[in-house]
């Protein structure tokens, strides 16, 4: 039987509810949003589990959330952090079957977050991990991989090429390599020239550097040749709008992230009318609510297989000790091209 202490260390939300801002995920100092504290270890309720943390990934959604800009309100005094990997050490009624298992998890609404020595969540938000999945991959096993699977599935139904912005993000890389494996032609948008070759090696048919002066013209040429009909967009700024405007008839601009704080202006309304173009959003939470559990389990199995055999991996920029999150997170996030992974 695992000894569970009475208290634990955690990075707690400083604020309540929504902020009303739309600045994007950049933070200057995590202390503006988080407090370090020793608090009681939470008790799992009915259908919930208590997880001893091994690793927690820092996703842009976590940063939107602590800033009060995410799709659910903050709870002041509750540990932050949506996603992690750990060992189930206790369970409420009906969830006892998971005790003793190493799981990937996402924190359910109102549960105790992952940036803490212990977290709680609903048992259905846990995925028992194969032994050949590392703790780092386990901490980034749900949010990005399931989103990649779901969105590339949307893209493949609309032709053989699709566009991915912020392609150096973890999710961007997952989608580019998955697209290549499925015989598709991903067009990657990046903002650093040194990312071009790695993205091509990963499977991008074309890569456009968005900071090039003629980036829109470059994209327009590629678009005319490859005819992508789906734009999977994590940036959602004015450049995105220009990309969408350069796409062919029936193109779909699917915004799933707001990495840029710039609010785009629509310049081509006629295309919505005369070219049957559409602007949409994608949120994994809605996908999970609308996708039958058996289909989700099939996708989960495929995700673990891809990480286990090396087709996918989590690039890690920094392992950040939990006790350094409040003081060190903003600096840790300055390193690009990899995830910050929190360790207890
Ligand atoms: N809707 C959903 O259900 C859902 C699910 C999962 C993730 N997401 C979204 O997917 C996006 C990527 O997530 P992730 O975890 O893969 O991110 P990540 O690995 O943390 O990478 C983010 C990368 O995006 C690039 N970037 C940041 N700001 C940018 C900007 N203003 N313009 C262009 N590129 C920018 C940076 O790369 P460089 O420095 O190399 O440019 C940065 O390293 C986020 O927006 C996240 O919120 C949405």
């Amino acid at each position: 039987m695992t000894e569970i202490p009475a208290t634990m260390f955690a990075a707690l939300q400083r604020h309540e509810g929504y902020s009303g801002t739309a600045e994007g995920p950049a933070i200057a100092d995590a202390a503006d949003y988080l407090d370090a504290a020793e608090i009681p270890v939470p008790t799992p309720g009915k259908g919930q589990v208590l997880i001893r943390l091994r690793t927690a990934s820092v996703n842009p959604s976590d940063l939107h959330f602590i800033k009060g800009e995410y799709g659910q309100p903050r709870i002041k005094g509750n540990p932050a952090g949506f996603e992690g990997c750990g060992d189930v050490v206790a369970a409420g009624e009906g969830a006892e079957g998971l005790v003793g298992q190493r799981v990937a998890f996402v924190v359910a609404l109102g549960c105790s977050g992952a940036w803490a020595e212990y977290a709680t969540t609903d048992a259905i938000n846990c995925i028992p991990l194969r032994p050949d999945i590392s703790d780092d991959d386990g901490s980034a096993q749900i949010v990005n991989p399931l989103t990649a699977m779901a969105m590339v599935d949307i893209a493949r139904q609309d032709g053989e090429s699709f566009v991915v912005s912020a392609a150096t993000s973890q999710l961007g890389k997952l989608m580019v390599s998955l697209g290549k494996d499925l015989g598709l032609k991903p067009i990657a948008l990046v903002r650093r020239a040194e990312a071009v070759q790695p993205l091509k090696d990963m499977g991008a048919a074309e890569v456009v550097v968005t900071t090039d002066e003629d980036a829109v013209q470059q994209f327009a040429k590629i678009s005319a040749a490859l005819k992508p009909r789906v734009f999977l967009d994590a940036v959602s700024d004015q450049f995105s709008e220009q990309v969408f405007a350069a796409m062919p008839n029936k193109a779909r601009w699917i915004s799933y992230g707001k990495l840029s704080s710039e609010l785009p202006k629509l310049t081509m309304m006629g295309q919505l009318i005369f070219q049957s173009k559409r602007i949409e959003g994608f949120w994994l939470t809605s996908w999970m609510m609308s996708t039958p559990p058996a289909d989700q389990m099939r996708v989960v199995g495929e995700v673990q297989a891809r990480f286990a055999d090396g087709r996918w991996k989590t690039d890690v920029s920094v392992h950040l000790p939990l006790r350094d999150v409040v003081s060190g997170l903003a600096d840790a996030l300055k390193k690009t091209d990899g995830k910050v992974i929190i360790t207890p």
Side-chain angles (χ1 to χ4, degrees):
M1 192 65 188
T2 321
E3 189 81 19
I4 300 169
T7 65
M8 66 176 189
F9 185 84
L12 307 181
Q13 301 264 11
R14 279 197 97 165
H15 306 285
E16 185 75 24
Y18 299 103
S19 61
T21 59
E23 295 173 355
I27 57 165
D29 186 352
D32 293 339
Y33 312 104
L34 298 172
D35 286 315
E38 191 74 22
I39 59 167
V41 170
T43 306
K46 193 174 171 187
Q48 295 181 345
V49 291
L50 177 70
I51 299 163
R52 186 172 51 222
L53 192 79
R54 287 175 181 246
T55 47
S57 54
V58 177
N59 291 319
S61 52
D62 292 305
L63 304 170
H64 284 291
F65 186 43
I66 62 175
K67 294 180 79 175
E69 297 179 356
Y70 196 63
Q72 66 194 59
R74 294 170 292 185
I75 301 171
K76 186 177 173 178
N78 203 40
F82 281 131
E83 184 173 26
C85 164
D87 301 292
V88 177
V89 291
E93 188 192 328
E96 297 86 350
L98 279 173
V99 174
Q101 301 215 41
R102 186 176 67 114
V103 297
F105 66 95
V106 284
V107 175
L109 191 66
C111 285
S112 191
W115 297 358
E117 289 173 301
Y118 292 83
T120 57
T121 192
D122 294 344
I124 50 162
N125 285 17
C126 296
I127 298 174
L129 286 168
R130 295 167 42 151
D132 47 4
I133 304 280
S134 70
D135 289 345
D136 284 346
D137 283 339
S139 74
Q141 192 69 191
I142 300 179
V143 177
N144 282 337
L146 293 190
T147 303
M149 287 290 201
M151 291 201 302
V152 174
D153 195 48
I154 291 169
R156 74 199 288 205
Q157 290 165 30
D158 256 334
E160 66 163 10
S161 183
F162 62 97
V163 187
V164 177
S165 65
T168 52
S169 65
Q170 175 70 13
L171 180 47
K173 289 185 278 195
L174 298 181
M175 293 197 290
V176 166
S177 64
L178 176 60
K180 180 205 71 178
D181 291 348
L182 294 171
L184 305 174
K185 293 183 178 147
I187 301 168
L189 309 180
V190 299
R191 57 178 184 177
R192 294 181 292 115
E194 59 275 25
V196 172
Q197 197 52 50
L199 259 303
K200 284 199 167 154
D201 295 344
M202 236 170 264
E206 298 283 354
V207 184
V208 175
V209 181
T210 58
T211 47
D212 283 357
E213 226 166 78
D214 63 342
V216 174
Q217 289 82 348
Q218 285 182 39
F219 176 78
K221 245 183 170 169
I222 294 165
S223 177
L226 295 184
K227 301 209 173 357
R229 290 232 148 67
V230 171
F231 177 18
L232 302 172
D233 185 21
V235 180
S236 308
D237 62 359
Q238 197 60 46
F239 185 83
S240 299
E241 195 270 351
Q242 291 176 283
V243 162
F244 178 57
M247 289 174 70
N249 287 350
K250 296 190 178 160
R252 297 163 68 186
W253 177 9
I254 304 180
S255 171
Y256 69 91
K258 191 74 190 87
L259 288 169
S260 165
S261 57
E262 185 185 51
L263 293 173
K265 185 173 89 179
L266 293 175
T267 60
M268 309 293 273
M269 291 305 292
Q271 292 188 351
L272 304 183
I273 303 167
F274 303 116
Q275 291 181 237
S276 305
K277 291 189 170 188
R278 278 179 284 161
I279 302 173
E280 307 163 40
F282 176 92
W283 193 25
L284 182 65
T285 305
S286 310
W287 179 86
M288 286 174 125
M289 286 191 289
S290 62
T291 303
D295 291 346
Q296 292 190 37
M297 287 325 294
R298 199 165 16 81
V299 174
V300 162
E302 172 64 10
V303 164
Q304 287 208 44
R306 291 185 70 86
F307 278 100
D309 65 19
R311 281 174 292 165
W312 274 351
K313 70 180 167 54
T314 306
D315 292 324
V316 180
S317 60
V318 182
H319 284 105
L320 183 68
L322 178 61
R323 283 170 195 273
D324 297 340
V325 166
V326 176
S327 61
L329 181 58
D331 268 352
L333 288 166
K334 286 181 186 149
K335 293 197 177 175
T336 56
D337 224 8
K339 282 271 160 222
V340 175
I341 303 281
I342 296 170
T343 54

